[in-house]
Amino acid sequence: MRGSARATSCSSVLRPNLARAATVHNDMVQSQFEVVQESASEDEAQRSGATTAAVIQVDAESHVLSDDAIASARMTVTSEAQRHQRIAGIVVGALTVLTVATTAIVQWMVRRYGEDADFWRVTFPILTATNLSLLLTLSGGLLWNRAKRGRCIRAQIPVLSTDGDRESIGALIDLFKFDDLYAHKAAKRSLTELLPNLRANDVHLLHSRHRTVLNRILGSLPEEIGRKDIRELFCDTSAREAAFRVAILEGYQQIGEADALPIVERLANMDATTNGQRSIKEAAIECLPYLRIRVEQQTAHGSLLRGSSATSVSGESLLRPASASYTAPSDELLRPGEAAVPG
């Protein structure tokens, strides 16, 4: 009994001490956990801040690079289109000169040698081989130039396609100078989105060569087989082509000129038989009043700036000094000390 009472008294003494020690331990563990959690939060915040700053810096750098890339792509496409057109013109001119020269030489030979079989047996194969070699050389040069320009242009198409700025409209239209289906499809897709956003002060974005291309496309209906790309001959492209022409008409409401007026009038008065033609006709009817107002304004502005139509003026209509001056007699002149006598 005495031992049990002593154990009970010891346990009653130790229990509060143990509870107090456990509480202190829990408080220490909790405080350590909070310190570790705060330090982890600070490290995470620092890492997050550094990551955000890095992302912002990367975004800023990529934005700068993107602007430079877009400007470079516009310049590259425009210069390559002009160079390609110039080289193509030179090759076509050379082929024309070669054909005319060959014809003239053959006609001269016929008149000169007539029915000389020995001459024709030797000369004609040489002349034919020379003509074919020159023809193949010029054609190969044209194909090589096309392939080279095509690779250069294809590298710029993704940059221009992702750009939503109206400043790229001219470069996108220049893509039609190349015989590249991928370039044409990308240009039509982007121009369908950009042309309706044109404003009256964007007239500088389209030069005469751009308007020529747009007018040529607008003048053909989507269903015309003769105007369709042979590589899409068996593809249904009427919806895409109709949407592209509607976008051109919406752009012409703001920046159209007199050269497009006959085309728009014809589209507004045509007999539409398909959904694409009906949408084009509606867009032409809506565009026509705006286009006429612009043409009238341009005509009035040109007439105000135009000089006089008279090229020469007769001598009788010019002002000249008097041919004779009246001289009063000397006795009628006033002299000092004399008063004028009223007449």
Side-chain angles (χ1 to χ4, degrees):
M1 294 292 294
R2 187 176 300 171
S4 60
R6 186 179 298 108
T8 302
S9 61
C10 290
S11 62
S12 60
V13 173
L14 292 175
R15 190 177 295 112
N17 294 331
L18 292 176
R20 189 178 299 109
T23 303
V24 171
H25 177 71
N26 291 334
D27 293 339
M28 292 176 62
V29 171
Q30 184 67 24
S31 62
Q32 291 177 357
F33 177 75
E34 291 177 354
V35 170
V36 171
Q37 187 175 9
E38 289 177 357
S39 62
S41 299
E42 291 178 357
D43 294 340
E44 184 178 359
Q46 291 177 357
R47 287 195 302 270
S48 177
T51 303
T52 304
V55 169
I56 293 174
Q57 184 177 2
V58 169
D59 289 343
E61 292 178 355
S62 63
H63 180 69
V64 172
L65 292 175
S66 178
D67 290 342
D68 294 340
I70 291 172
S72 176
R74 294 171 186 165
M75 186 180 302
T76 301
V77 170
T78 300
S79 61
E80 289 295 330
Q82 295 175 354
R83 187 179 295 110
H84 175 73
Q85 188 175 12
R86 184 168 59 252
I87 293 176
I90 293 173
V91 173
V92 171
L95 289 174
T96 304
V97 172
L98 177 62
T99 303
V100 173
T102 303
T103 304
I105 292 173
V106 171
Q107 290 178 352
W108 176 79
M109 288 181 175
V110 169
R111 290 193 303 268
R112 175 68 174 81
Y113 297 98
E115 298 180 358
D116 189 354
D118 294 334
F119 173 80
W120 290 110
R121 190 180 298 110
V122 176
T123 306
F124 189 75
I126 297 175
L127 182 63
T128 303
T130 303
N131 190 18
L132 289 178
S133 61
L134 291 175
L135 181 63
L136 292 176
T137 301
L138 291 174
S139 301
L142 185 61
L143 293 175
W144 175 81
N145 175 70
R146 173 188 170 185
K148 180 181 178 182
R149 306 299 174 199
R151 288 194 300 269
C152 180
I153 291 302
R154 279 176 172 264
Q156 311 301 328
I157 290 176
V159 180
L160 293 177
S161 300
T162 57
D163 181 30
D165 194 350
R166 298 191 299 270
E167 296 288 336
S168 298
I169 288 179
L172 289 169
I173 297 176
D174 284 332
L175 290 176
F176 291 105
K177 300 287 186 178
F178 302 92
D179 186 20
D180 192 299
L181 181 60
Y182 173 69
H184 293 180
K185 293 169 68 174
K188 291 176 181 179
R189 183 172 57 251
S190 299
L191 289 171
T192 302
E193 299 176 357
L194 293 177
L195 287 174
N197 299 328
L198 288 172
R199 297 295 177 262
N201 56 356
D202 293 331
V203 67
H204 65 282
L205 297 178
L206 293 185
H207 300 288
S208 59
R209 68 177 188 275
H210 301 143
R211 297 181 185 276
T212 301
V213 174
L214 293 182
N215 291 338
R216 175 174 53 81
I217 296 173
L218 189 62
S220 62
L221 295 178
E223 294 83 7
E224 291 186 12
I225 301 298
R227 299 293 184 91
K228 194 172 183 179
D229 195 310
I230 193 172
R231 291 160 291 191
E232 294 182 324
L233 189 60
F234 300 101
C235 301
D236 185 10
T237 60
S238 57
R240 182 195 69 194
E241 297 297 326
F244 182 40
R245 286 156 176 80
V246 170
I248 295 174
L249 291 168
E250 291 178 355
Y252 275 177
Q253 293 183 14
Q254 301 295 326
I255 60 171
E257 292 188 354
D259 54 356
L261 185 58
I263 302 174
V264 178
E265 289 178 344
R266 179 172 60 84
L267 294 176
N269 297 322
M270 71 175 177
D271 295 329
T273 57
T274 63
N275 293 331
Q277 292 180 6
R278 281 189 283 270
S279 63
I280 293 173
K281 182 176 181 178
E282 293 175 358
I285 293 174
E286 184 179 356
C287 172
L288 194 55
Y290 295 94
L291 186 57
R292 284 174 174 167
I293 292 173
R294 279 191 51 83
V295 172
E296 291 175 359
Q297 291 176 348
Q298 292 174 356
T299 304
H301 182 68
S303 62
L304 289 175
L305 294 180
R306 192 179 300 117
S308 175
S309 59
T311 57
S312 62
V313 182
S314 60
E316 291 77 6
S317 61
L318 297 175
L319 292 178
R320 284 182 171 83
S323 58
S325 58
Y326 175 75
T327 304
S330 58
D331 55 353
E332 295 180 6
L333 297 176
L334 291 178
R335 288 180 173 81
E338 296 181 354
V341 180

